């Protein structure tokens, strides 16, 4: 059994925190009340009624999400139960447990980045506690730790192309390194594109002496193969597990900045208590709820299917381009990690950086240079685009490699 104890793991001041009680906590607006409790502007926003569009639709005939522009003078729902339930419905797959996620298992935030920071503020004492990360990984874990004055322990993933957790090394660190409160893992990984083994994650969750939380960042899970489904519902089995998700990737809603944490009701309550009041704007909630409807999910899944077709097209084409090396990561994301080779046929950061810069500055195609990441020597990370974008990239990278390599 795991040694997890929330009462001794979370920061004492967070455990005793009395959350801010906002005006709509006492009496939720049902549309019939006269609302004189929150010091809102009763005359509404500076939007001309005759020019306000309250429903956004793809065409005149298509139904879209309803956004009440003239109602923006009112604070949004502070609890967002309908939206949380829609997220639970999506992730209640019963592939990992017969138990059900409920809105009490969910905390919402401004993208995954706010969720990363919230976990640090909830569990890590500045200048004392530390987090563990497994490079190559998402850079915001380290940035957020630095901002919060929290130490960092790095245990690299196993080498490419597997990019799996080095379970013995991580277990050893959790046993012998003091004050590690959180383990941040990405699955599918960024920049690796590889899903992590469920068995490896479970070995961390069952550590016999470590009192901490395992966090799985599933930003790219909607691109993963059916053999690597989301672990969100698994939080009902593990009180020391947190699963973070976002609507920025598979749902194509990066502009609304919505992230979700799935976890135990006890941890969700702590996270919700330390949030600012009314943290999810009404337009964000409306757009997200529509995206999670049957119609929205149908569109999302078609878009993901189209991206996966372009990903396969890119893989086949890249194999034939001189100067393109090995595909170093997995195939569970909407990007690919490729080596760029020098004249001698070796992966090389100088070559990769030159290709990266020329693509952006001369060809108008922007990718990411990842050569400084652990185990990613000479690598570029390329996001899979539309059919037109993929074609433009493939033509540009072939010409650019020829120019750089001579």
């Amino acid at each position: 059994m795991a040694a997890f104890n929330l009462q001794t793991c979370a920061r004492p001041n967070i455990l005793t925190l009395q959350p801010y009680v906002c005006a709509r906590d006492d009496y939720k607006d049902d549309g019939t009340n006269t609302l004189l409790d929150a010091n809102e502007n009763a005359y509404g926003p500076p939007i001309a009624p005759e020019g306000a569009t309250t429903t956004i639709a793809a065409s005149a005939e298509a139904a879209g999400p309803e956004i009440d522009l003239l109602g923006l003078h009112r604070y949004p729902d502070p609890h967002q139960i309908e939206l949380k339930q829609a997220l639970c419905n999506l992730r209640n797959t019963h592939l990992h447990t017969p138990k059900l996620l409920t809105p009490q298992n969910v905390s919402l935030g401004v993208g995954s980045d706010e969720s990363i920071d919230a976990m640090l503020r909830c569990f890590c004492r500045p200048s004392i506690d530390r987090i563990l990360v497994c490079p190559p990984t998402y850079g915001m874990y380290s940035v957020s730790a630095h901002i919060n004055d929290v130490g960092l322990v790095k245990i690299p993933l196993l080498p490419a192309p597997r990019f799996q957790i080095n379970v013995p090394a991580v277990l050893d660190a959790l046993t012998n390194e003091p004050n590690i409160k959180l383990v941040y893992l990405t699955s599918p990984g960024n920049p690796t594109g590889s899903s992590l083994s469920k068995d490896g994650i479970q070995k961390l969750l069952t550590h016999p002496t470590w009192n901490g939380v395992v966090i799985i960042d599933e930003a790219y899970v909607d691109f993963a193969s059916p053999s690597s489904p989301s672990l969100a519902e698994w939080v009902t089995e593990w009180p020391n597990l947190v699963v973070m998700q976002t609507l920025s990737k598979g749902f194509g809603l990066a502009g609304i900045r919505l992230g979700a944490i799935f976890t135990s009701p006890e941890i969700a309550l702590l996270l919700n208590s330390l949030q600012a009041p009314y943290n999810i704007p009404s337009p964000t909630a409306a757009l997200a709820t529509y995206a999670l409807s049957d119609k929205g999910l149908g569109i999302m899944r078609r878009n993901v299917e189209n991206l996966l077709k372009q990903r396969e097209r890119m893989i086949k084409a890249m194999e034939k381009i001189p100067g393109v090396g090995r595909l170093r990561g997995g195939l569970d994301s909407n990007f690919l990690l490729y080596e760029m080779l020098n004249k001698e046929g070796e992966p090389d950061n100088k070559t990769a950086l030159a290709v990266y810069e020329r693509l952006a500055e001369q060809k108008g195609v922007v990718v990411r240079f990842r050569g400084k990441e652990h185990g990613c020597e000479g690598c570029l990370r390329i996001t899979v685009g539309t059919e037109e974008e993929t074609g433009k990239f493939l033509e540009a990278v072939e010409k650019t490699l020829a120019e750089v390599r001579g």
Side-chain angles (χ1 to χ4, degrees):
M1 286 294 292
F4 179 69
N5 183 336
L6 181 61
Q7 297 304 310
T8 55
C9 185
R11 291 171 62 188
N13 58 311
I14 302 299
L15 290 167
T16 59
L17 175 66
Q18 294 297 315
Y20 176 80
V21 178
C22 61
R24 300 292 133 80
D25 277 328
D26 292 332
Y27 299 102
K28 183 178 179 180
D29 179 27
D30 62 1
T32 64
N33 295 324
T34 299
L35 299 175
L36 303 176
D37 57 345
N39 300 335
E40 298 153 327
N41 183 334
Y43 283 96
I47 299 173
E50 62 273 15
T53 301
T54 57
T55 300
I56 299 173
S59 67
E61 297 78 24
E66 293 187 1
I67 300 177
D68 182 12
L69 298 182
L70 296 181
L72 291 177
H73 64 307
R74 298 298 183 191
Y75 285 113
D77 177 0
H79 304 296
Q80 300 292 345
I81 300 301
E82 180 185 359
L83 174 53
K84 290 178 180 179
Q85 185 60 61
L87 287 162
C88 292
N89 293 344
L90 176 64
R91 301 308 181 192
N92 278 326
T93 61
H94 298 307
L95 296 173
H96 307 290
T97 176
K99 297 178 182 178
L100 283 172
L101 289 164
T102 72
Q104 285 68 46
N105 292 106
V106 182
S107 178
L108 301 176
V110 182
S112 293
D113 295 326
E114 185 178 55
S115 301
I116 293 166
D117 182 71
M119 287 298 297
L120 282 160
R121 289 187 290 124
C122 187
F123 286 94
C124 295
R125 298 165 295 175
S127 300
I128 299 173
D129 291 326
R130 300 189 289 173
I131 67 170
L132 187 148
V133 298
C134 297
T137 191
Y138 183 43
M140 276 305 297
Y141 310 141
S142 298
V143 171
S144 292
H146 187 79
I147 291 170
N148 286 280
D149 195 17
V150 170
L152 203 62
V153 176
K154 297 182 179 181
I155 305 293
L157 295 172
L158 295 173
R162 292 183 60 204
F163 282 128
Q164 290 295 310
I165 305 168
N166 187 338
V167 174
V170 173
L171 291 176
D172 181 71
L174 298 181
T175 300
N176 296 305
E177 294 281 352
N179 299 327
I180 296 176
K181 286 290 187 70
L182 307 173
V183 175
Y184 282 93
L185 302 169
T186 52
S187 183
N190 176 15
T192 69
S194 299
S195 292
L196 299 177
S197 159
K198 181 182 175 182
D199 180 64
I201 294 169
Q202 185 166 344
K203 285 182 169 67
L204 307 187
L205 291 169
T206 55
H207 191 292
T209 61
W210 177 61
N211 186 20
V213 179
V214 176
I215 303 166
I216 312 297
D217 187 342
E218 289 190 340
Y220 297 93
V221 74
D222 294 306
F223 299 103
S225 69
S227 62
S228 300
S230 169
L231 294 176
E233 66 179 4
W234 214 27
V235 304
T236 62
E237 298 287 351
W238 300 99
N240 54 337
L241 176 62
V242 163
V243 174
M244 300 191 304
Q245 293 186 356
T246 176
L247 297 193
S248 296
K249 307 300 181 182
F251 281 86
L253 286 172
I256 71 170
R257 306 302 296 128
L258 181 71
I261 281 180
F262 296 92
T263 187
S264 68
E266 293 78 13
I267 291 180
L269 181 62
L270 291 181
L271 295 171
N272 290 332
S273 296
L274 59 82
Q275 287 175 339
Y278 311 112
N279 70 319
I280 304 301
S282 299
T284 292
L287 289 163
T289 301
Y290 178 80
L292 291 161
S293 68
D294 288 343
K295 186 165 187 176
L297 288 170
I299 295 170
M300 182 274 281
R301 286 164 178 153
R302 286 197 298 274
N303 289 342
V304 167
E305 184 179 351
N306 287 332
L307 286 170
L308 298 185
K309 289 178 181 177
Q310 292 307 309
R311 188 180 69 187
E312 186 62 28
R313 173 192 173 195
M314 188 183 293
I315 291 170
K316 291 179 180 178
M318 292 288 276
E319 293 174 350
K320 302 174 185 177
I321 296 176
V324 173
R326 296 169 295 180
L327 173 63
R328 298 307 281 154
L331 299 176
D332 280 338
S333 63
N334 68 331
F335 59 83
L336 296 168
L337 186 70
Y338 272 103
E339 294 174 335
M340 299 292 111
L341 307 180
N342 60 22
K343 292 180 180 179
E344 290 71 39
E346 299 169 342
D348 174 56
N349 274 353
K350 184 178 179 180
T351 301
L353 190 59
V355 171
Y356 160 71
E357 291 173 347
R358 286 201 183 203
L359 281 173
E361 296 168 8
Q362 299 179 19
K363 305 295 193 298
V365 177
V366 184
V367 297
R368 290 298 297 273
F369 171 67
R370 299 284 81 180
K372 293 184 179 180
E373 300 288 327
H374 180 87
C376 299
E377 177 77 19
C379 284
L380 298 182
R381 192 196 70 190
I382 306 117
T383 303
V384 178
T386 63
E387 182 177 358
E388 180 182 354
E389 290 170 335
T390 301
K392 182 178 180 181
F393 163 75
L394 290 170
E395 180 181 354
V397 75
E398 184 169 8
K399 291 181 179 178
T400 302
L401 272 165
E403 293 165 0
V404 169
R405 300 174 84 222

